[in-house]
Amino acid sequence: MSMTYEAAQARPNASREPDRSQLHVLSEAPFNAEARLTNQAGTITPNTAFYVRSHLLDQPRMEAAGWRLRVEGEVQRALALSYEELRALPGLSLVVTLECAGNGRAYMNGQPQGELWHYGAVGTAEWTGVPLGVVLGRAGLEPSVQEIVIEGADHGYHPESKQERIYARSLPRHIAVHPDTLLAYAMNGEPLPFAHGFPLRLIVPGWYGMAAVKWVTRLHASALPFQGYFQTEQYVLIEKASAEKRPLTRIRPRSLILSPTEGERLARGWQWLKGVAWSGAARIKRVEVSLDGGVTWQAAEWSSRALPYAWRGWQLPWEATAPGPVTLSSRATDAAGNTQPLEAEWNKLGYANNAIQQVHVTVAD
């Protein structure tokens, strides 16, 4: 899918921005909102229904005309690319599932810190842009480079740390130059909405959403490990028994039941259970469904085709014969052998909860 430069140059309009009627708002300042599961009907999540994660109080509003992407640090040639120059580079489109590292935090035992996301901090879009490695190749990385720091334009007061911050993250060199690590300027065939990083955001397929820096303005090639706040203090796993910090990277396997929904009352007879499943470590191999709260399991069938970096739809026909309450569950296993656990791995900041979801419904008399 292609856009004219004039279309991409245009300021994103309100129709592309988040639609509050399709989202569950968690906080206004900074603005954080998750998708409603009932809106996740197909492979692609509409831009207006895509979850929004913000860290700082103000979201930048930049125009393409004055924006520049600076490439600095341990490079052979420093760059300052305009929006037009960036879009003239070889492009790529990828369908990628993006999941916030805090998705599911509300269901962890022993309430951790952070926004209480339920299951809607995830979505899938077709992202179009320029491979990060192409831009870095133009600059020429020195042999000493170990990491690439990606800096966004969002800066300001951070409520949790109570300090002024700049949102920046780094990637190991081999991930940064991977051909599918993308500097995206379009989302589902439209210029990025402001809320999703216009004019440019990073997409790292398979990694949690903290890596997907929005409003990118600067790339810094470094021979030293990056020590920024959102790299070393946030988005790390801190267990209860240890102060050791393990960095978050790839998305753990997860499946969700999209239909029926929590608390729904169902007629007796045949029902279709439907959902999605994904993993950042490997492709999803199978999804199993339980109709008795996890005592027994049966294999679901696929309802959409497999894509390298996107969730996959599944379904299971179920004959609801006995009236009364039923607890539905689903669990995903990827090709690397990773399976969803029954309980979340507790950690101080409440990240990477991929425990099996339970949906409680009632079959009518």
Side-chain angles (χ1 to χ4, degrees), residues 145-221:
V145 172
Q146 298 298 315
E147 295 186 359
I148 305 299
V149 180
I150 303 94
E151 186 176 301
D154 46 336
H155 59 86
Y157 185 74
H158 181 241
E160 293 179 30
S161 66
K162 297 180 172 55
Q163 292 186 31
E164 297 289 318
R165 301 288 184 187
I166 294 175
Y167 194 83
R169 292 273 309 177
S170 73
L171 290 176
R173 179 173 179 157
H174 71 283
I175 298 296
V177 300
H178 189 283
D180 291 341
T181 299
L182 198 62
L183 290 168
Y185 47 71
M187 180 180 181
N188 292 331
E190 298 179 333
L192 283 173
F194 279 127
H196 294 293
F198 183 86
L200 194 70
R201 91 175 290 176
L202 184 69
I203 298 295
V204 186
W207 282 46
Y208 281 109
M210 79 280 158
V213 180
K214 297 191 285 188
W215 309 292
V216 176
T217 57
R218 180 173 176 260
L219 306 175
H220 181 83

Side-chain angles (χ1 to χ4, degrees), residues 196-323:
H196 294 293
F198 183 86
L200 194 70
R201 91 175 290 176
L202 184 69
I203 298 295
V204 186
W207 282 46
Y208 281 109
M210 79 280 158
V213 180
K214 297 191 285 188
W215 309 292
V216 176
T217 57
R218 180 173 176 260
L219 306 175
H220 181 83
S222 176
L224 299 173
F226 179 55
Q227 298 297 314
Y229 176 80
F230 294 103
Q231 189 82 20
T232 60
E233 299 299 322
Q234 295 279 297
Y235 299 113
V236 290
L237 294 171
I238 307 173
E239 297 173 355
K240 186 178 296 185
S242 170
E244 179 187 359
K245 298 176 181 178
R246 291 186 289 131
L248 278 172
T249 55
R250 295 195 175 275
I251 298 171
R252 295 176 178 179
R254 187 200 285 279
S255 62
L256 288 179
I257 297 173
L258 303 181
S259 177
T261 58
E262 176 67 24
E264 190 170 345
R265 188 173 178 84
L266 306 175
R268 292 176 66 180
W270 285 100
Q271 306 284 343
W272 277 103
L273 308 184
K274 298 181 180 181
V276 289
W278 66 97
S279 175
R283 293 194 185 194
I284 290 294
K285 182 178 181 180
R286 66 178 181 273
V287 171
E288 299 163 291
V289 178
S290 173
L291 307 174
D292 51 18
V295 177
T296 61
W297 297 87
Q298 55 186 300
E301 60 188 48
W302 300 117
S303 60
S304 68
R305 65 190 179 98
L307 296 171
Y309 303 121
W311 59 23
R312 193 173 186 187
W314 58 263
Q315 61 187 14
L316 180 75
W318 166 44
E319 187 177 13
T321 57

